[in-house]
Amino acid sequence: MERSTKLKYLLFIAITTIVAVVAVNLYSTSRGGEASGAEEVEEPAPIPLNHLLDNSMCDIQETKKFDAAILRFMRYWGIRGGSFALMRNDSLLYAKGYGFSNTADSTICEVKNIFRVASVSKLITAVAIMHLQETGQLSTQDTVFGEEGILNDTLFLHYRDKNIKKITVEHLLRHTSGFSNPHGDAAFNMELVARYLGKPLPLSMDDMVYYATRLKLRAKPGGWYHYSNLGYIILSKVIEKVSGISYETYIKDSILAPMGCYDIHLANNYSEGFRENEVDYYEVKEAEPVPAYDGSDTLVMKSHGGNDVHGLYGAGGWVASPVELLKLVSAINKCPGREDFLTPESIDFMTPYGKNAKPAGWASSSSKFWLRSGSMAGTSALIKAQKDGYSWVFISNSSSWNGPGLARQMNREITKALMRVKKWPETDLFELSQATT
């Protein structure tokens, strides 16, 4: 066969094959996908912003003094690894990891790393509650317990104190529900709670809510302020009951994904269950092993199975990176740079200020800034949203002897360190994620 004839023949075969494939696909589509081998092609999952960034992108001369100040702070407090991110008017200016995410193999801490954020989780939970109110699924004035309450399941109707029927969603958000702590902080004393209930470990979310109904309130709801992890575990159950799906699924699909946050998850307790880009956790050298959270005879460190971190849910159970937490902040801060996820009224509800102000989700709110801190064995975290347009997050993979006090030191030292930078980069690292989604 001559060369020209052979090429024509091969071209004919190729065209015939293409036409046949197209015809089969068109037929399959017209038949609703009944043809053999026809499957819907799933869109690829969005790439989280923290996976698109690395330390080298913010390795610039203008911030050398700031970086040095952060490292000095970490050395002084024995922090093995940490991560920082800075935003101005909803533009991400700076993101960098410091120290080690894992000291065993000297893995450098990077922007992609995620950390347990402890009580910073309460901010996520509060945003979800406000969104449920905005979509008409609940009101912050709804009562939580009793026959007319949100949690009117039979399991929760045998309450010890009749005043529990007066607790509203708002009371739980603002820590004014009146719950007492006869067994210490229930979230971190689950062994005692299990004994009181006569139940085996580990305890479920329902177990913790049932425990709340067996308590005698220390004060009438709405008055006395007392910080309550138990209250935010109850709010996690409220979210499940109202939404009809699991707490984690609702938060991820209805709150975080619309904001562009794709690498925030509920924590796992043992290192075997840590995410691939999750840091390891380090306690003070004096820390001693404790019984495992699941009731086994094993002695473990609190940060590696001693605390039921996963079981904290909306009170303290999330892992996240600073850059994605700033994405969350940019959606609830009323800055002009980005459309907010919540209405101005909801944001104002969460951030009152004054002598007797009791924020919802945030730890404190004033005319100058909002703060949300978190601390537990092996981690400490802080979000600071300033009214001058700057917001920042720092998270460490180490705890210190002064516990929650480390967050206060973070605030003081990082605020001072920020003043060492005369000019931050004119950039918006958030745009990287928008370009890939």
Side-chain angles (χ1 to χ4, degrees), residues 18 36 50 105 122 149 164 300 324 355 359 368-369 392:
I18 292 171
S36 175
N50 52 311
D105 54 13
K122 292 180 175 66
I164 199 173
V300 295
E324 287 208 320
K355 183 177 180 181
K368 294 184 178 180
F369 54 79
W392 55 267

Side-chain angles (χ1 to χ4, degrees), residues 171-191:
H171 294 150
L172 295 174
L173 285 169
R174 301 200 192 281
H175 301 280
T176 59
S177 57
F179 283 120
S180 59
N181 293 319
H183 304 98
D185 187 338
F188 293 97
N189 289 281
M190 291 189 181
E191 183 179 4

Side-chain angles (χ1 to χ4, degrees), residues 155-198:
L155 177 64
F156 308 133
L157 291 179
H158 304 289
Y159 35 84
R160 180 181 177 188
D161 190 327
K162 64 180 182 180
N163 282 320
I164 199 173
K165 295 171 65 175
K166 299 178 182 179
I167 295 175
T168 66
V169 173
E170 181 176 4
H171 294 150
L172 295 174
L173 285 169
R174 301 200 192 281
H175 301 280
T176 59
S177 57
F179 283 120
S180 59
N181 293 319
H183 304 98
D185 187 338
F188 293 97
N189 289 281
M190 291 189 181
E191 183 179 4
L192 294 179
V193 172
R195 290 179 187 174
Y196 176 77
L197 296 178

